[in-house]
């Protein structure tokens, strides 16, 4: 009916797509293994697009311009539907592997890259993957009450329960002047995590009282301590327990990517600086090997620029001790002030100075969070 342009019952195409996704399995020793559909497009389309882009300069310009647009469109589509997807994680990991494969196959055999440089690039890639693996672990999920039952409020005297699941309002108590995540020892005496006057709040979805700066992730369906944001590139939240590993993974990625781009440009555009060679390399399309390497360099440069922007925002937020979630809420409620041309939103609530803010960040997850008497009751 669809091929003949006839009307379809509501939900017919969605039902067909769900059936195909459920039947997409590969044989295995212990039984057929179901494949996540979102894993397939990067594995198939990325090599095809890059090889087509290497055929001609205009094809490369069109494909490398359209790829970020398509990725952003898919991000907004899944974000609006509140869906979790492995597409971005698969795209990131496969891009790393494929770029490394092209480097070893097309660039290293030219003889201009030393073995020590290959070892340095490989070590950077391994360190980045190790940090990424650490960032994929528990971001600091708050324990769900047993049986998912709503805790009794009778044991919380002089408390007022609010109905917000995303704001910073609700239950105030004696523990509000104490740092939930611990004090940044040796940097400041006053806690940078939960200063006086900051309130706890009640999450109506998880049915629990959460500490200050914790937030509910609508994609994961869990509350996370010191929630920063849900990162689609790791398919997980960034919170108290994995924020340091997330920053470390971004830093290793930037260093490794820039180093790999520099080595490749020095090989295929000899005698030119990397920045000049990126925009003017006369011999880039003299043979297919050089054109493929040059196309992959531009692909890496686009991805590196995007990740560099994310890292810059993260470093600025850490310097002002504000999370991405808090900045978004401050913009919504018009309670923060824009700094550095709008790159950072300073709420002024947790900012204790540059050294104290970084000392607090480096101490995240160093010790298990303490629990007050009100929490235990």
């Amino acid at each position: 009916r669809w091929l003949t342009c006839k009307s379809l019952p509501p939900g017919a195409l969605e039902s067909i797509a769900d059936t195909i996704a459920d039947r997409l399995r590969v044989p295995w020793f212990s039984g057929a293994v179901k494949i996540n559909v979102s894993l397939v497009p990067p594995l198939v389309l990325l090599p095809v697009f890059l090889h087509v882009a290497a055929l001609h300069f205009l094809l490369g310009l069109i494909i490398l311009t359209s790829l970020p647009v398509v990725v952003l469109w898919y991000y907004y589509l899944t974000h609006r539907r509140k869906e979790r997807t492995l597409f971005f994680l698969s795209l990131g990991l496969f891009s790393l592997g494929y770029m490394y494969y092209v480097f070893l196959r097309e660039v290293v055999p030219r003889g201009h890259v030393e073995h020590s440089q290959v070892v340095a690039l490989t070590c950077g890639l391994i360190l980045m993957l190790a940090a990424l693996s650490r960032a994929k672990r528990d971001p600091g999920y708050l324990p769900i009450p047993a049986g998912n039952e709503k805790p009794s409020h009778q044991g919380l005297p002089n408390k007022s329960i609010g109905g917000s699941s995303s704001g910073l309002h609700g239950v105030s108590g004696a523990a509000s002047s104490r740092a939930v995540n611990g004090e940044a020892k040796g940097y400041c005496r006053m806690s940078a995590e939960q200063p006086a006057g900051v309130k706890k709040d009640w999450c109506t979805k998880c049915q629990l009282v959460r500490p200050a700066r914790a937030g509910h992730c609508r994609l994961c369906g869990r509350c996370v301590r010191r929630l920063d944001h849900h990162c689609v590139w790791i398919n997980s939240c960034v919170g108290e327990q994995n924020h340091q590993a997330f920053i470390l993974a971004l830093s290793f990625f930037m260093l490794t990517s820039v180093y790999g781009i520099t080595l490749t440009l020095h090989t295929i555009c000899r005698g030119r600086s990397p920045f000049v060679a990126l925009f003017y390399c006369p011999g880039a399309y003299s043979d297919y090997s050089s054109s493929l390497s040059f196309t992959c360099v531009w692909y890496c440069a686009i991805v590196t620029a995007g990740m560099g922007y994310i890292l810059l925002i993260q470093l600025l937020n850490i310097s002002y001790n504000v999370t991405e979630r808090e900045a978004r809420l401050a913009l919504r409620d018009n309670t923060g002030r824009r700094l550095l041309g709008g790159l950072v939103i300073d709420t002024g609530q947790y900012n204790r100075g540059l050294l104290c803010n970084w000392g607090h960040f480096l101490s995240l997850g160093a010790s298990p969070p303490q629990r007050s008497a009100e929490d235990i009751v």
Side-chain angles (χ1 to χ4, degrees):
R1 294 177 64 88
W2 178 69
L3 291 175
T4 55
C5 299
K6 295 181 180 179
S7 60
L8 293 173
L13 291 179
E14 289 79 1
S15 177
I16 294 174
D18 293 340
T19 303
I20 294 176
D22 182 69
R23 297 295 187 270
L24 188 60
R25 301 170 183 265
V26 294
W28 199 247
F29 299 102
S30 58
V33 178
K34 184 178 179 180
I35 300 178
N36 194 309
V37 180
S38 60
L39 292 173
V40 179
L43 305 182
V44 176
L45 297 180
L46 181 63
V48 173
F49 284 161
L50 290 179
H51 279 275
V52 172
L55 295 176
H56 194 272
F57 169 74
L58 293 179
L59 288 175
L61 182 63
I62 295 174
I63 291 178
L64 292 177
T65 304
S66 60
L67 274 179
V69 177
V70 174
V71 172
L72 288 175
W73 170 79
Y74 186 71
Y75 166 74
Y76 285 115
L77 181 66
T78 55
H79 188 72
R80 186 176 66 250
R81 294 180 178 178
K82 303 179 183 179
E83 297 177 354
R84 296 189 65 180
T85 176
L86 293 174
F87 172 83
F88 299 97
L89 180 61
S90 173
L91 176 62
L93 292 178
F94 185 68
S95 296
L96 287 172
Y98 191 71
M99 295 303 104
Y100 186 68
Y101 167 77
V102 171
F103 179 79
L104 294 180
R105 182 180 177 85
E106 306 294 343
V107 179
V108 175
R110 292 173 179 261
H112 301 295
V113 179
E114 299 178 359
H115 293 290
S116 59
Q117 294 174 324
V118 177
V119 171
L121 186 69
T122 305
C123 290
L125 185 62
I126 293 175
L127 290 174
M128 192 276 297
L129 292 176
L132 181 63
S133 176
R134 176 62 186 86
K136 282 285 295 175
R137 298 180 185 176
D138 180 15
Y141 292 121
L142 289 173
I144 300 178
N148 199 24
E149 298 178 356
K150 187 175 181 179
S152 174
H153 300 154
Q154 298 178 356
L156 298 173
N158 300 325
K159 306 284 189 298
S160 59
I161 303 297
S164 171
S165 64
S166 61
L168 298 175
H169 309 285
V171 182
S172 62
S176 61
S177 60
R178 172 183 54 82
V180 175
N181 299 315
E183 183 178 340
K185 297 181 180 180
Y187 293 91
C188 56
R189 297 294 298 174
M190 181 180 294
S191 171
E193 174 66 20
Q194 191 171 342
V198 177
K199 300 178 180 180
K200 295 183 179 182
D201 63 327
W202 170 259
C203 180
T204 58
K205 298 179 181 179
C206 295
Q207 300 291 292
L208 53 82
V209 178
R210 60 193 182 194
R213 310 194 77 175
H216 184 88
C217 177
R218 62 177 186 174
L219 298 179
C220 297
R222 296 283 299 276
C223 283
V224 181
R225 291 186 179 274
R226 198 182 179 276
L227 175 63
D228 189 85
H229 69 287
H230 182 93
C231 182
V232 296
W233 294 105
I234 64 174
N235 194 33
S236 177
C237 290
V238 176
E240 176 187 295
Q241 298 295 324
N242 68 340
H243 201 169
Q244 295 174 352
F246 178 73
I247 296 297
L248 199 60
L250 281 177
S251 302
F252 278 129
F253 171 80
M254 292 295 299
L255 294 174
T256 305
S257 180
V258 171
Y259 188 57
I261 290 174
T262 303
L263 291 178
T264 304
L265 289 177
H266 276 314
T267 301
I268 62 177
C269 301
R270 299 190 61 80
R272 301 180 184 275
S273 65
F275 183 78
V276 174
L278 190 61
F279 295 95
Y280 182 70
C281 184
Y285 287 88
S286 59
D287 58 274
Y288 188 75
S289 176
S290 298
S291 63
L292 179 61
S293 301
F294 190 71
T295 302
C296 291
V297 162
W298 259 106
Y299 175 75
C300 290
I302 294 173
V303 176
T304 303
M307 294 302 171
Y309 176 78
I310 295 175
L311 179 60
L312 175 63
I313 298 300
Q314 286 289 314
L315 295 179
L316 291 176
N317 286 343
I318 294 171
S319 299
Y320 285 89
N321 200 6
V322 61
T323 64
E324 192 68 27
R325 171 178 174 268
E326 291 166 350
R328 187 170 59 251
L329 293 176
L331 284 177
R332 185 194 66 184
D333 301 333
N334 198 23
T335 57
R337 58 193 183 106
R338 295 176 178 268
L339 299 174
L340 302 177
L343 290 177
V344 63
I345 307 299
D346 183 19
T347 62
Q349 194 172 16
Y350 303 99
N351 189 359
R352 296 295 179 267
L354 180 65
L355 293 180
C356 187
N357 293 339
W358 272 96
H360 167 68
F361 174 76
L362 295 177
S363 68
L364 288 178
S367 59
Q370 301 175 356
R371 299 181 61 187
S372 64
E374 288 82 358
D375 295 335
I376 298 176
V377 172

